[in-house]
Structures are given as structure tokens and as C-alpha cells.
Amino acid sequence: MSKVKLFSYWRSSCSYRVRIALNLKAIPHEYVTINLVKDGGEQKKDHFLKINPFGFIPSLEVNGDNNQNQIFESLAIIDYLENINPEPSLYPKDLIDRANAIAITESINSGIQPLQNLFVLAEIENLGGNKDQWAKQLITKKFKSLENIMTKTAGKYCIGDTITIADVFLVPQVYNAYRYGVDMSQYPTIERVNKLLEEHEAFKAAHPSVQPDAPKQ
């Protein structure tokens, strides 16, 4: 197995996804903290922009200290992990299940998380809005659609009874929902699946509260 280094931040939901995938696939890795809030954000500093010119985390470095071996964007990273370590697979073999897993994943990846990330929330605040209220209302609205989808696809997990990439993306987004005070009782399917996943060792080990850079309680 190649040397793997994850540039992460404890409360980053996108990094949280990759931590889950690394754990599910039992891939050893080094954790490198990029503090998103200290001194205006380390992700904006020159040393990190050489790693990821977009200034976002997570970023995954493979095969040693070489910026050309950086993979960024959580979905691309997880796709890479899937290919280097195909088992257990995060994609269902059944084509309809696979399509549904990707649809749920993309609804979170494109339709929810980007609209409540740090950059967007800062812009909302700059325009005089309430960033926390924005995030809460956004997630509340989007989760209504997600709940409707999952009532049709879920078994124990998002897609039947096997953990898939949809679950990897769901749990960090639910973490954000709780953070912004969303009433999760409105979404019984999402809440049930999330609670079960939170008991899985790979998800527990990826939780923000147990990361090395998480604030000490």
C-alpha cells in the first residue's frame, strides 16, 4: 500500500467523508491538520495552495511528499480509494441500487453541503444575513426531499442493508444538521439510518470529536 497522507480538519464534513471511507477500507494514513479558522484559515496560505490551488480540504497525498500526487475533492478521493482497495465496495452491484446510491450522494455533494460551507456562510454574513439561520433553513428544506427518496431506497442503511457511498456522505451531513439545530425528528428514515451508522466502528473513528485536532472537552 502506498503511503497515504490526509489533509483534514476535524469539523470539515468533506474530510469526515474521506475519513469514513479510509476506515471502511482499513487504509492506514497520516492525518495532517489544516485549520480552517486559525489566522484566517490555513487553507488560504501559500504552502497549502501549492497542494490544492482551490484552497479546500480534504486533500490526499499518495506515494510520498510530492505535490503532483495530490488528489482533492472528496468524491474523487473516495473514487481513488475504491479503485486501489475495491473491497469492501462502496458501490452496489445492482444497477438500480448503484444509481440510487450515486443520486443520494450527489444530492448531498452538490445540492446541500456546498450551500452551507464556510465560504458561502461568510458571504451570507457579509450581505447582512444570518448564516446559521440560512444553513438551518437550507438543510431543513433539502432533507425533506432526501427523506422522501430514502423511504423508497433504505433498508438498514441508505440503500438496502449494505453500507454504500450514500451512507458515507449522509452521516457528515446529518452531523451538520444537528450542529445547526435542525429538528431531525421530521426525518425518521434519515435519523434511523444515521443512528445505526454512528454505531459502526469505521464511522465512530471518523467522528469529528475524536480527531487529533478536535478541541479538548
Side-chain angles (χ1 to χ4, degrees):
M1 178 65 66
S2 303
K3 180 180 178 183
V4 175
K5 184 184 294 185
L6 175 65
F7 294 85
S8 179
Y9 180 62
W10 70 281
R11 206 165 62 181
S12 160
S13 60
C14 295
S15 299
Y16 191 174
R17 301 165 183 169
V18 175
R19 296 194 301 260
I20 293 168
L22 285 164
N23 293 341
L24 286 169
K25 291 180 174 294
I27 297 175
H29 57 281
E30 178 185 351
Y31 185 107
V32 180
T33 298
I34 299 296
N35 194 308
L36 298 184
V37 295
K38 181 181 179 182
D39 299 328
E42 291 181 347
Q43 75 278 15
K44 301 175 185 176
K45 308 301 183 185
D46 288 343
H47 74 278
F48 185 71
L49 290 175
K50 291 178 182 178
I51 294 170
N52 182 353
F54 286 109
F56 293 138
I57 57 169
S59 187
L60 194 78
E61 181 180 279
V62 296
N63 299 322
D65 299 325
N66 185 337
N67 288 342
Q68 292 182 338
N69 292 332
Q70 291 288 342
I71 306 168
F72 48 89
E73 297 294 343
S74 60
L75 190 56
I77 293 171
I78 293 170
D79 181 72
Y80 171 80
L81 298 177
E82 177 77 8
N83 281 284
I84 64 168
N85 199 355
E87 297 297 334
S89 178
L90 297 176
Y91 292 90
K93 290 184 172 60
D94 179 87
L95 294 182
I96 296 297
D97 287 346
R98 181 185 176 93
N100 284 331
I102 294 171
I104 290 173
T105 298
E106 195 58 20
S107 71
I108 296 168
N109 190 47
S110 297
I112 306 178
Q113 190 278 329
L115 299 177
Q116 46 97 105
N117 66 17
L118 284 179
F119 174 78
V120 171
L121 294 182
E123 290 301 308
I124 294 294
E125 196 167 42
N126 288 340
L127 292 170
N130 184 315
K131 62 180 182 178
D132 291 341
Q133 185 179 13
W134 162 268
K136 181 178 180 178
Q137 289 179 344
L138 170 78
I139 298 170
T140 297
K141 179 179 179 180
K142 297 289 186 176
F143 268 20
K144 289 178 181 177
S145 300
L146 185 58
E147 173 72 14
N148 184 267
I149 293 168
M150 285 180 54
T151 57
K152 300 177 178 68
T153 66
K156 289 170 60 178
Y157 306 117
C158 287
I159 307 294
D161 296 332
T162 303
I163 290 173
T164 70
I165 192 167
D167 301 293
V168 171
F169 276 66
L170 178 74
V171 169
Q173 189 57 57
V174 175
Y175 173 83
N176 279 347
Y178 281 119
R179 178 182 167 198
Y180 290 112
V182 174
D183 177 10
M184 288 301 299
S185 67
Q186 302 173 82
Y187 318 111
T189 309
I190 296 175
E191 188 175 41
R192 174 183 59 77
V193 169
N194 181 73
K195 285 182 177 178
L196 182 60
L197 288 165
E198 284 186 328
E199 294 304 311
H200 190 288
E201 289 302 321
F203 288 78
K204 288 168 69 173
H207 194 275
S209 65
V210 299
Q211 301 314 304
D213 56 330
K216 300 295 183 278
Q217 297 296 325

